[in-house]
Amino acid sequence: MEDRTLKVLVCGCGRVSEKHAKAIKTLSSEYELAGACDVNENAAKQMIANCGKAGTTAKIFDDYKKAIDELHPDVVSITLPSGLHYETAKYAMEAGANLLLEKPMAMSEDEARAIYDISKKTSRKIAMGHIYRYLPVVGLLQHDISKGVFGKVTHGSIYVRWGHGDDYYDSAAWRGTWKADGGALMNQTIHAIDLLVWLMGTEPVEAQAMIAQRLRHIEAEDLGYAILRMEDGSLAHIEGTTATSPARHSAEFSVFCEKGQITMGLVSGKAHIDIRDERGKELNSRYLTAQLKAGGIGSFKTALNPHLGIYKDLYDCIINDKEPIASAYDGYSSVDTLMGIYKSAKLGKAVELPLTEGFSSLDMTDYFV
Ligand SMILES: NC(=O)c1ccc[n+]([C@@H]2O[C@H](COP(=O)([O-])OP(=O)(O)OC[C@H]3O[C@@H](n4cnc5c(N)ncnc54)[C@H](O)[C@@H]3O)[C@@H](O)[C@H]2O)c1
């Protein structure tokens, strides 16, 4: 496709859409906001205002079907409650649009698989909102691990302690419900699960999990632990919770290898990084310098808004017919893993992945009752 400005329609103008607006505003040569769709007109107006010059000709809609039929957008950004992702993604792709689809791709294994299949059948790109893949240095580490620089991967580990109070869950009726959101694993931890699987360079083949409700008054879990057995025999450990202090968000991943180990994380907005070879020698500056060389100082800006990286990547993929860094397959695969984790918690035993019989977050409805 020739280089041109792509028309984007943003469906859902709530919290996360602010990050989309910032990215569209910054990339005003690549994208123009053609429309903002929300049942709340003021939210749509705010979205347009937040896009600055890139939103000058944008129209407001309250129905995504009408918006897609009228605008014929190149890209539909789906930032609606997760329970609406499937129907919107299907309609948009069948109407000819590419997607920037927020995580999780869908609320069931069947729906995620169907979205992936439609993207293949219609040759539409899907860039998933799996933001951690777009952080600086992470891509270089993925490349080196996959090339064997760190030797055999033995195991990996993540924790996501992303405290949210009841005020967060009360801010919208869909939050914390099995139908439209899921709990701490499905909403907050899916980014880190996706990242860990990508870095380890292998697929989950078995999940064993436990979930709990400790503090939050929601339908789904506010705490979950899972262990994944990977196809290459390595193991991955997952902790995800919103039952910690909202004043101290922290998340971290570690990948342990034969010839080194990698840890990166965030505590209250402050990043830390610890990359070592097998003798314990620190390699941080080598990777930071390599990132500077590869992407310039601007590439560190994606740490402040990873959605900027997603929009840049999606543009390149549409124009040059490439697969996004976080693709349709990755969206499907992470939902499959999450459904396997929930199924394992429900059955109280390990389950094989990928799931062969569909499982939906709705199958968890009676779990805590
Ligand atoms: N990638 C990330 O970093 C990230 C961060 C936060 C949220 N998310 C994901 O983004 C999605 C939205 O999350 P949020 O926190 O912005 O939610 P939100 O509730 O703040 O925003 C959702 C918006 O959708 C609108 N809406 C609801 N139903 C609609 C309908 N039928 N038609 C049109 N508009 C409708 C609401 O009025 C609201 O403005 C979720 O899937 C969430 O998991 C991703």
Side-chain angles (χ1 to χ4, degrees):
M1 193 194 270
E2 86 281 13
D3 251 1
R4 65 176 175 84
T5 307
L6 300 179
K7 285 196 292 182
V8 55
L9 164 68
V10 175
C11 293
C13 303
R15 273 168 92 114
V16 78
S17 75
E18 288 175 26
K19 313 248 180 201
H20 290 247
K22 266 192 193 152
I24 294 167
K25 187 178 177 183
T26 306
L27 299 174
S28 60
S29 308
E30 286 87 356
Y31 293 100
E32 62 170 300
L33 183 74
C37 175
D38 202 294
V39 286
N40 174 350
E41 191 183 346
N42 285 335
K45 280 186 182 157
Q46 188 60 54
M47 173 74 206
I48 293 174
N50 289 347
C51 284
K53 203 177 78 182
T56 317
T57 57
K59 290 184 167 183
I60 291 178
F61 295 86
D62 61 6
D63 177 332
Y64 73 83
K65 290 185 181 170
K66 278 191 198 145
I68 291 168
D69 292 348
E70 185 178 323
L71 298 175
H72 303 293
D74 299 294
V75 174
V76 175
S77 295
I78 301 177
T79 47
L80 291 162
S82 307
L84 296 171
H85 289 186
Y86 169 67
E87 59 169 71
T88 321
K90 183 174 183 302
Y91 193 85
M93 281 190 288
E94 287 173 347
N98 302 284
L99 305 182
L100 196 165
L101 178 51
E102 275 302 347
K103 47 49 57 173
M105 177 178 255
M107 297 304 297
S108 76
E109 201 268 343
D110 284 345
E111 288 179 354
R113 188 190 294 269
I115 292 176
Y116 171 67
D117 287 345
I118 297 167
S119 80
K120 290 290 136 206
K121 203 168 124 203
T122 57
S123 301
R124 298 295 148 215
K125 311 285 180 204
I126 303 182
M128 287 302 306
H130 287 162
I131 48 176
Y132 289 172
R133 289 194 187 207
Y134 293 85
L135 293 174
V137 177
V138 157
L140 298 174
L141 290 169
Q142 190 275 337
H143 175 269
D144 282 1
I145 294 169
S146 72
K147 295 290 171 217
V149 171
F150 290 90
K152 183 175 174 175
V153 176
T154 58
H155 61 294
S157 162
I158 49 171
Y159 68 75
V160 175
R161 297 169 188 151
W162 218 257
H164 280 302
D166 285 327
D167 54 339
Y168 164 83
Y169 285 110
D170 292 344
S171 71
W174 65 278
R175 293 195 196 281
T177 61
W178 286 118
K179 183 167 186 249
D181 190 16
L185 292 173
M186 186 85 179
N187 185 325
Q188 282 75 21
T189 313
I190 195 168
H191 293 299
I193 296 175
D194 167 73
L195 177 68
L196 188 65
V197 169
W198 186 52
L199 288 173
M200 290 177 74
T202 177
E203 301 264 323
V205 291
E206 190 181 345
Q208 174 94 57
M210 287 189 194
I211 59 173
Q213 279 183 342
R214 302 302 299 148
L215 296 179
R216 307 300 166 223
H217 300 107
I218 57 176
E219 282 177 23
E221 83 286 356
D222 63 9
L223 173 65
Y225 282 87
I227 295 173
L228 303 177
R229 187 185 304 283
M230 311 300 274
E231 199 171 15
D232 67 356
S234 58
L235 299 178
H237 173 256
I238 293 158
E239 174 195 333
T241 184
T242 50
T244 47
S245 166
R248 195 170 168 79
H249 285 169
S250 60
E252 187 179 279
F253 75 82
S254 296
V255 180
F256 299 92
C257 308
E258 194 184 1
K259 297 184 190 166
Q261 61 184 63
I262 296 154
T263 294
M264 277 176 79
L266 203 65
V267 180
S268 298
K270 201 162 174 252
H272 57 269
I273 175 168
D274 188 41
I275 309 171
R276 302 205 174 245
D277 70 11
E278 74 262 50
R279 292 186 307 279
K281 187 181 158 212
E282 202 198 272
L283 306 175
N284 296 353
S285 49
R286 182 191 295 179
Y287 278 91
L288 292 168
T289 308
Q291 179 67 49
L292 200 59
K293 266 194 189 155
I297 192 76
S299 65
F300 286 91
K301 279 194 190 151
T302 58
L304 300 174
N305 184 12
H307 283 86
L308 183 59
I310 306 181
Y311 273 93
K312 266 190 189 162
D313 180 45
L314 180 59
Y315 184 83
D316 182 29
C317 291
I318 293 171
I319 299 296
N320 299 309
D321 193 20
K322 298 198 299 201
E323 269 301 279
I325 291 172
S327 68
Y329 179 80
D330 304 315
Y332 150 71
S333 175
S334 61
V335 169
D336 182 70
T337 303
L338 256 299
M339 289 303 119
I341 287 172
Y342 281 150
K343 188 173 183 179
S344 164
K346 182 165 183 172
L347 300 180
K349 62 177 191 180
V351 301
E352 283 183 19
L353 297 174
L355 295 173
T356 45
E357 289 166 14
F359 193 84
S360 160
S361 62
L362 278 177
D363 292 322
M364 298 299 290
T365 306
D366 55 358
Y367 186 78
F368 288 116
V369 177

